[in-house]
Amino acid sequence: VERSRGLGDVYKRQVYIHTDDVLFLNLIGADNGVSWSVGNSYILQNYGGGGNQCSFKALKKGSTTVTATYNGRSYTCYVTVN
């Protein structure tokens, strides 16, 4: 999973953002059919997307995960909201 645009720094599937930031993630090498999920929707809200991209809004401070599932494999990005 890679950050395509938005705020934050990416370190080996780790993203740091601030409350109210919108984060855009994409699964490189995937086409349509990517399913996105958030570990804690009280911290990060899934805004939706299309194809291999999805956007998320940081609601409050904390840590959670974003998981992209494609062709039976899961890819996890750890997100910390400051």
Side-chain angles (χ1 to χ4, degrees), residues 1-2 23 27 78-79 81:
V1 177
E2 180 178 286
L23 174 69
L27 185 59
Y78 298 91
V79 180
V81 179

Side-chain angles (χ1 to χ4, degrees), residues 35-40 44 46 54 56 64-69 75 77:
S35 173
W36 297 89
S37 62
V38 175
N40 186 334
L44 196 67
N46 184 335
C54 196
F56 305 88
T64 189
T65 57
V66 173
T67 302
T69 304
Y75 306 87
C77 179

Side-chain angles (χ1 to χ4, degrees), residues 3-51:
R3 179 177 60 93
S4 59
R5 57 186 189 274
L7 302 173
D9 298 316
V10 178
Y11 299 103
K12 297 183 182 179
R13 299 185 194 164
Q14 178 83 31
V15 179
Y16 300 91
I17 59 176
H18 294 94
T19 304
D20 294 325
D21 285 353
V22 175
L23 174 69
F24 296 84
L25 296 176
N26 69 348
L27 185 59
I28 296 175
D31 295 322
N32 291 326
V34 178
S35 173
W36 297 89
S37 62
V38 175
N40 186 334
S41 60
Y42 292 106
I43 295 172
L44 196 67
Q45 181 182 23
N46 184 335
Y47 265 19

